[in-house]
Amino acid sequence: YDDFSTGILASDKWETGYWDGAQAPEVVDGKARLSSNGSGVGSQEPSFMDDLVGMPDNGSNHSFLSITDSSVVGVEAEISLSSTSSIETGLYLGIFEDLESGPGFAFVGIELGYYDQSGPSITFENEDYVNGEETVSQVLQEKPANLGQSYKVSVVKGGSTYQLFLDNELVQEYQIRGELLSFHFGAFQEPSVSFDTYVDNVRVLRRSDIGSGETTLVVGEIEAQRDL
């Protein structure tokens, strides 16, 4: 889908956004950088947030990079935190979906975070929000990680569950609860604290309708390579 070798975030592939304190993602040294310099410049919310019932509009110090291709049902990428990251820095790959049970939305994702002196970790998370209130918050697995190291993570929509992978190994599954709204990356820190996080080598799984009326899954290789 994108290895960022062109040096730009193509508008037909990506939408960028940020909450006050962070900056819009950009390509730096062949990777997408989601970052903050610690200074507030206002907010520019990505359009996928318009579909999230009860989503707060006053967040801070988050940078967002979302996939614009609505046929995508799975994303794989390499994610990393800067080797100089401070505590409370995080970067995730996740999805938002509607809740069929009522007004709200759900989040499923894989997060690389650095939250205490014990060091960074990778967590597999599941959250529900109803009328703006968090009603479910689950972290069912946690694995140790390192600053400055890249990790291959994948989130794939299956028949009845979202499947979460780390380095091609299935780690966790969560039930699908409604319509898939977006795949996106998000990076964050405490207000007024700078951070640098990175995304690279993004591959996607697409749902493609074929002539027989059946549905097949097509793996999209990195930009400029053919689909398999």
Side-chain angles (χ1 to χ4, degrees):
Y1 188 74
D2 208 342
D3 63 359
F4 307 108
S5 59
T6 64
I8 61 171
L9 293 172
S11 60
D12 61 338
K13 294 183 177 183
W14 302 104
E15 182 184 16
T16 64
Y18 52 88
W19 280 341
D20 189 33
Q23 280 73 53
E26 59 183 343
V27 177
V28 176
D29 296 329
K31 298 180 181 180
R33 183 176 71 180
L34 285 68
S35 66
S36 167
N37 60 19
S39 300
V41 293
S43 297
Q44 177 183 304
E45 292 197 347
S47 61
F48 70 79
M49 290 188 179
D50 296 340
D51 298 321
L52 304 179
V53 178
M55 183 70 173
D57 57 6
N58 59 346
S60 64
N61 220 20
H62 281 57
S63 181
F64 300 103
L65 180 65
S66 62
I67 287 177
T68 58
D69 187 342
S70 61
S71 69
V72 169
V73 293
V75 175
E76 174 188 277
E78 297 170 15
I79 62 173
S80 60
L81 306 181
S82 166
S83 60
T84 59
S85 293
S86 56
I87 288 177
E88 302 296 340
T89 302
L91 170 65
Y92 65 82
L93 163 62
I95 64 97
F96 281 126
E97 62 176 342
D98 271 334
L99 288 179
E100 291 182 347
S101 59
F105 61 92
F107 168 83
V108 171
I110 304 172
E111 186 172 300
L112 173 58
Y114 180 30
Y115 300 119
D116 56 46
Q117 296 294 345
S118 64
S121 63
I122 298 174
T123 54
F124 301 81
E125 304 193 358
N126 176 47
E127 301 168 0
D128 285 3
Y129 295 84
V130 178
N131 293 318
E133 298 293 329
E134 186 177 59
T135 59
V136 173
S137 180
Q138 296 177 311
V139 178
L140 297 185
Q141 296 217 38
E142 183 173 1
K143 296 180 179 292
N146 295 301
L147 296 178
Q149 182 174 339
S150 293
Y151 296 89
K152 183 187 292 185
V153 297
S154 311
V155 177
V156 178
K157 183 181 181 182
S160 60
T161 63
Y162 287 101
Q163 301 169 335
L164 280 59
F165 295 82
L166 175 63
D167 293 328
N168 299 321
E169 177 184 354
L170 177 62
V171 176
Q172 190 65 55
E173 294 184 85
Y174 291 113
Q175 288 295 315
I176 293 173
R177 286 149 293 184
E179 179 187 0
L180 173 62
L181 299 175
S182 70
F183 279 92
H184 70 286
F185 300 89
F188 53 89
Q189 238 295 357
E190 292 297 300
S192 302
V193 179
S194 62
F195 64 87
D196 290 304
T197 67
Y198 299 94
V199 176
D200 200 8
N201 293 327
V202 178
R203 303 175 72 229
V204 300
L205 196 65
R206 291 187 178 93
R207 188 173 299 278
S208 300
D209 295 324
I210 59 176
S212 64
E214 298 176 355
T215 299
T216 59
L217 294 179
V218 180
V219 175
E221 284 283 3
I222 294 173
E223 182 181 20
Q225 296 185 14
R226 66 182 180 87
D227 285 352
L228 296 179

